[in-house]
């Protein structure tokens, strides 16, 4: 009996997190199916878990980025530039896939009539203005509100300034970084309980009845995201590392994508991605910056959402979209997607901006936004899963490519 208890506790504390999450997922579905009223009562578990992740993520980003830059030794090479290139290329390719998918399988919307009380940005300039204002936001306010653009700007600036600090100060920062990291590990171990609460309460409360009227639209949306995750991203990673990319792709989808799918928050998934990078022994100076940066600007899923829903609105109104317009829409979707984290409401509120390219009235565009909120149970989950898993995928690809280059140089020198 004691051996069984010891084995059970060891599984809980040290067992595979993926297996535990799968168990939580299955139990959540069964509870929602067999006892819907009880399933609604466990929503608190999911709310607490997401709250804990969102609470620790800003502090983690602030401390880890600042510590990494402050302790960065002269001559050490980081891989931020190639990762930025991968982020932008990946987001543009996702928009192109969404255009092709929408043209091959055009969607027609049943536009709703209820008013949606939201204020979308009017143009790209407004999106960029919001990003700039977030950069210069008060650092305390940025941490409190989860403004990761502002957190990154201040932590990078302080990190650069602290590179001239004495070694004792840098050691304290390293110790603080380690303490926050340890706290994050504790929070992540609670993921199975959080997923159990989220899944059971969501299925019991909403179900999927309201989604049946939008099966075609959801199929196009999620189908494009699957193609990006399983075809486009692997091709980009293969171009970078020159070997079979799928083991890395599946690892990122399993560990990062699944968690992000259920939490539906790129910010909440930052600690998960950093923990995964640490397990893969990636360069901490690189991933401590690239992961929070990716949660801010690497938005392949958002580009798909903006493009598909905009083209669905155009098709509903009988507007023909030619190739030049589609290419321009892809570029606008990339810029808008990169700025979606700086806009309350995320990618959906940027749809009117893209609709404006085709002269679609704002009243109709806002109805498209309302449709987006209706299908948001699956759309937002799939979008976040793609966005967040791609952050760690491209970071790992860039780091592994750099390691291979260094190893090849050493062999050449011998």
């Amino acid at each position: 009996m004691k051996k069984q208890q010891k084995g059970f506790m060891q599984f809980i504390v040290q067992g595979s997190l993926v297996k535990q999450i799968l168990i939580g997922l299955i139990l959540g579905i069964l509870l929602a199916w067999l006892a819907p009223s009880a399933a609604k009562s466990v929503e608190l578990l999911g709310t607490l878990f997401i709250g804990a992740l969102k609470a620790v993520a800003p502090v983690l980003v602030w401390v880890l980025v600042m510590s990494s830059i402050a302790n960065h030794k002269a001559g050490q090479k980081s891989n931020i530039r190639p990762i930025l290139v991968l982020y932008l290329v990946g987001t543009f390719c996702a928009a192109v896939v969404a255009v092709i998918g929408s043209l091959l399988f055009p969607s027609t919307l049943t536009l709703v009539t209820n008013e949606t009380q939201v204020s979308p940005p009017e143009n790209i300039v407004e999106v960029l203005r919001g990003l700039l204002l977030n950069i210069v936001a008060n650092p305390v306010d940025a941490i409190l509100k989860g403004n990761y653009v502002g957190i990154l700007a201040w932590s990078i600036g302080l990190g650069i300034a602290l590179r001239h600090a004495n070694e004792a100060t840098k050691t304290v920062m390293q110790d603080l970084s380690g303490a926050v990291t340890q706290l994050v590990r504790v929070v992540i171990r609670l993921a199975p309980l959080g997923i159990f609460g989220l899944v059971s309460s969501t299925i019991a409360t909403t179900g999927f009845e309201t989604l049946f009227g939008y099966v075609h639209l959801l199929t196009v949306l999620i189908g494009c995201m699957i193609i990006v995750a399983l075809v486009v991203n692997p091709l980009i990673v293969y171009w970078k590392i020159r070997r079979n990319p799928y083991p890395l792709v599946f690892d990122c989808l399993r560990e990062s994508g699944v968690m992000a799918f259920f939490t539906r928050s790129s910010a909440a998934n930052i600690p998960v991605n950093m923990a995964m990078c640490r397990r893969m022994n990636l360069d901490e100076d690189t991933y401590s910056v690239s992961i929070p940066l990716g949660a801010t600007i690497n938005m392949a899923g958002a580009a798909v959402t903006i493009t598909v829903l905009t083209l669905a609105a155009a098709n509903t109104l009988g507007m023909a979209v030619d190739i030049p317009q589609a290419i321009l829409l892809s570029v606008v979707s990339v810029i808008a997607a990169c700025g979606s984290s700086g806009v309350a409401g995320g990618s959906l509120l940027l749809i009117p901006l893209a609709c404006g390219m085709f002269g679609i009235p704002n009243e109709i565009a806002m109805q498209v936004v309302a449709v987006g909120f209706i299908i948001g149970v699956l759309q937002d989950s799939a979008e976040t899963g793609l966005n967040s898993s791609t952050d760690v995928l491209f970071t790992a690809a860039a780091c592994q490519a750099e390691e291979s280059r260094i190893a090849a140089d050493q062999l050449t020198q011998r």
Side-chain angles (χ1 to χ4, degrees):
M1 187 67 177
K2 288 184 178 180
K3 287 184 178 180
Q4 291 178 343
Q5 291 178 344
K6 185 177 180 181
F8 177 74
M9 289 303 299
Q10 189 172 10
F11 174 73
I12 294 296
V13 177
Q14 300 177 352
S16 169
L17 190 62
V18 175
K19 291 180 181 178
Q20 292 177 8
I21 289 174
L22 182 60
I23 293 172
L25 172 62
I26 294 172
L27 291 177
I29 293 173
L30 288 175
L31 182 62
W33 178 38
L34 298 174
S37 58
K40 293 178 183 178
S41 66
V42 300
E43 181 183 6
L44 180 62
L45 292 175
T47 303
L48 289 174
F49 174 63
I50 293 181
L53 282 175
K54 286 184 176 180
V56 76
V59 180
L60 175 69
V61 171
W62 174 275
V63 173
L64 206 59
V65 171
M66 188 166 52
S67 175
S68 295
I69 294 177
N71 287 280
H72 184 79
K73 301 292 189 297
Q76 282 184 329
K77 183 177 177 60
S78 64
N79 301 299
I80 299 301
R81 187 176 300 174
I83 293 174
L84 280 174
V85 172
L86 291 178
Y87 283 168
L88 293 176
V89 170
T91 304
F92 179 76
C93 289
V96 171
V97 168
V99 168
I100 296 172
S102 296
L103 295 180
L104 291 177
F105 306 99
S107 302
T108 302
L109 303 177
T110 302
L111 297 178
V112 294
T113 56
N114 59 300
E115 295 290 332
T116 307
Q117 299 299 322
V118 289
S119 301
E122 297 178 357
N123 49 49
I124 292 294
V125 174
E126 187 174 340
V127 174
L128 296 177
R129 179 178 178 273
L131 286 175
L132 291 174
L133 288 176
N134 282 335
I135 289 175
V136 297
N138 180 284
V140 176
D141 186 65
I143 292 176
L144 291 175
K145 294 182 178 178
N147 168 16
Y148 286 91
V149 177
I151 292 171
L152 275 172
W154 279 98
S155 56
I156 289 172
L158 285 173
I160 292 173
L162 287 170
R163 291 183 67 179
H164 304 289
N166 58 50
E167 291 302 319
T169 301
K170 294 181 180 181
T171 301
V172 170
M173 293 182 61
Q174 282 185 319
D175 291 341
L176 182 60
S177 174
V180 175
T181 299
Q182 187 63 36
L183 183 61
V184 168
R185 289 176 182 169
V186 174
V187 173
I188 291 176
R189 293 306 304 187
L190 300 175
L193 285 175
I195 296 300
F196 168 73
L198 287 170
V199 171
S200 59
S201 61
T202 299
I203 294 178
T205 303
T206 47
F208 294 100
E209 292 82 1
T210 57
L211 304 178
F212 290 157
Y214 299 96
V215 170
H216 183 274
L217 177 62
L218 273 170
T219 301
V220 174
L221 265 171
I222 297 177
C224 288
M225 293 182 191
I226 290 174
I227 290 173
V228 172
L230 298 181
V231 179
V232 175
N233 283 351
L235 287 174
I236 294 173
V237 172
Y238 175 78
W239 165 74
K240 191 68 181 175
I241 65 177
R242 300 297 179 180
R243 61 176 181 271
N244 181 9
Y246 282 99
L248 179 60
V249 169
F250 289 139
D251 282 347
C252 294
L253 287 174
R254 185 178 67 250
E255 295 192 35
S256 175
V258 170
M259 183 78 77
F261 182 90
F262 291 110
T263 62
R264 295 169 63 184
S265 172
S266 293
N269 218 47
I270 287 175
V272 177
N273 282 349
M274 286 193 171
M276 185 177 178
C277 290
R278 191 177 300 107
R279 285 196 301 274
M280 291 191 291
N281 294 318
L282 303 182
D283 178 33
E284 186 173 349
D285 286 341
T286 298
Y287 73 72
S288 63
V289 178
S290 68
I291 293 300
L293 187 63
T296 304
I297 68 169
N298 183 34
M299 297 289 175
V304 170
T305 297
I306 294 168
T307 303
V308 169
L309 286 174
T310 299
L311 290 177
N315 183 61
T316 301
L317 298 175
M319 297 179 175
V321 179
D322 55 27
I323 298 300
Q325 286 178 318
I327 294 174
L328 181 59
L329 175 61
S330 298
V331 175
V332 171
S333 295
V334 171
I335 299 173
C338 290
S340 63
S341 63
V343 180
S347 58
L348 292 177
L349 289 188
L350 293 167
I351 291 171
L353 188 155
C355 285
M357 289 179 51
F358 302 102
I360 297 175
N362 195 56
E363 294 77 11
I364 295 178
M366 290 311 301
Q367 293 181 35
V368 179
V369 174
V371 171
F373 281 117
I374 291 174
I375 64 173
V377 172
L378 289 179
Q379 169 269 324
D380 191 35
S381 295
E383 176 182 314
T384 307
L386 176 59
N387 289 342
S388 195
S389 63
T390 305
D391 295 345
V392 68
L393 175 66
F394 286 165
T395 296
C399 289
Q400 291 180 8
E402 180 64 17
E403 290 173 1
S404 298
R405 186 192 66 79
I406 293 174
D409 288 346
Q410 291 175 344
L411 285 175
T412 302
Q413 291 174 0
R414 291 177 185 175

